[in-house]
Amino acid sequence: FALSAGLSLVCAVFFRLIARIRNVSISKKDAYLAVVLAWLSICLIGTMPYLFLAHDIAFTDAFFESVAGFTTTGASVLPDYVLNDLPKSFLFWRCFSNWIGGIGVVMIVIVIIPSLNAGGYKLFSLESSTQGKMLPRINEMVWRFIFIYLCMTIIGMALLYIGGMKIFDS
């Protein structure tokens, strides 16, 4: 995990320096591309722990696991004997990537779609009394959503624990 974190930090610093050097305004098309590239890079970075694991996991399988986690599909191509042999830290990484993916998908809907004036948001704003009021409050909405997401996670864990599941499994 440290090697994966170090490599992603190096990439982040590199791209941050490039962004500071080139001060460019972005069009709507560039924003779409940035979102796609961000998701792709997140999935590639999430692939690294699988590749650095002692088990021989192919790149395609590792990439699939990462994409499945960050898109919250929960699918897996790893055989049961590999999953049963994984250390708990790795099982936590798989669950955490799904958890982060859940936040990410909803954040795209809350933050990015409205700012792009996508069709669904136009319909919502036509029928809503909050037409002009929603975009300035996005920061507040994001923090409320994170709070609700954390509370639901903790409540879900508590209920699973009360139901007889071990705390790590819940």
Side-chain angles (χ1 to χ4, degrees):
F1 289 110
L3 184 57
S4 301
L7 286 173
S8 62
L9 182 63
V10 167
C11 290
V13 169
F14 174 74
F15 288 121
R16 181 70 177 149
L17 290 174
I18 288 175
R20 276 198 171 169
I21 294 170
R22 308 182 90 187
N23 193 6
V24 181
S25 62
I26 341 177
S27 68
K28 219 180 243 194
K29 188 168 53 169
D30 295 333
Y32 282 118
L33 180 62
V35 169
V36 170
L37 291 177
W39 276 94
L40 182 62
S41 61
I42 288 168
C43 291
L44 285 171
I45 288 168
T47 301
M48 287 190 285
Y50 294 99
L51 295 176
F52 297 147
L53 188 63
H55 296 43
D56 291 325
I57 299 175
F59 174 78
T60 52
D61 292 345
F63 187 69
F64 182 89
E65 291 291 327
S66 179
V67 170
F70 289 117
T71 58
T72 65
T73 60
S76 181
V77 293
L78 296 179
D80 285 340
Y81 70 89
V82 171
L83 290 173
N84 293 335
D85 264 356
L86 292 175
K88 285 191 174 192
S89 61
F90 218 84
L91 295 174
F92 181 79
W93 168 249
R94 289 183 73 223
C95 292
F96 188 66
S97 66
N98 278 283
W99 191 82
I100 292 292
I103 287 180
V105 168
V106 177
M107 289 299 169
I108 283 179
V109 171
I110 290 176
V111 177
I112 296 173
I113 301 290
S115 65
L116 295 177
N117 289 326
Y121 180 71
K122 284 182 183 175
L123 288 175
F124 170 76
S125 65
L126 288 174
E127 296 295 326
S128 173
S129 62
T130 62
Q131 261 176 321
K133 302 175 193 170
M134 192 161 176
L135 286 177
R137 295 184 17 202
I138 285 180
N139 191 24
E140 180 183 331
M141 288 174 52
V142 166
W143 284 110
R144 280 185 183 177
F145 173 75
I146 289 172
F147 177 75
I148 291 168
Y149 200 75
L150 281 169
C151 287
M152 289 177 67
T153 301
I154 292 167
I155 291 168
M157 286 176 59
L159 290 174
L160 289 170
Y161 181 71
I162 291 168
M165 200 178 267
K166 295 178 185 173
I167 191 69
F168 180 80
D169 295 332
S170 65

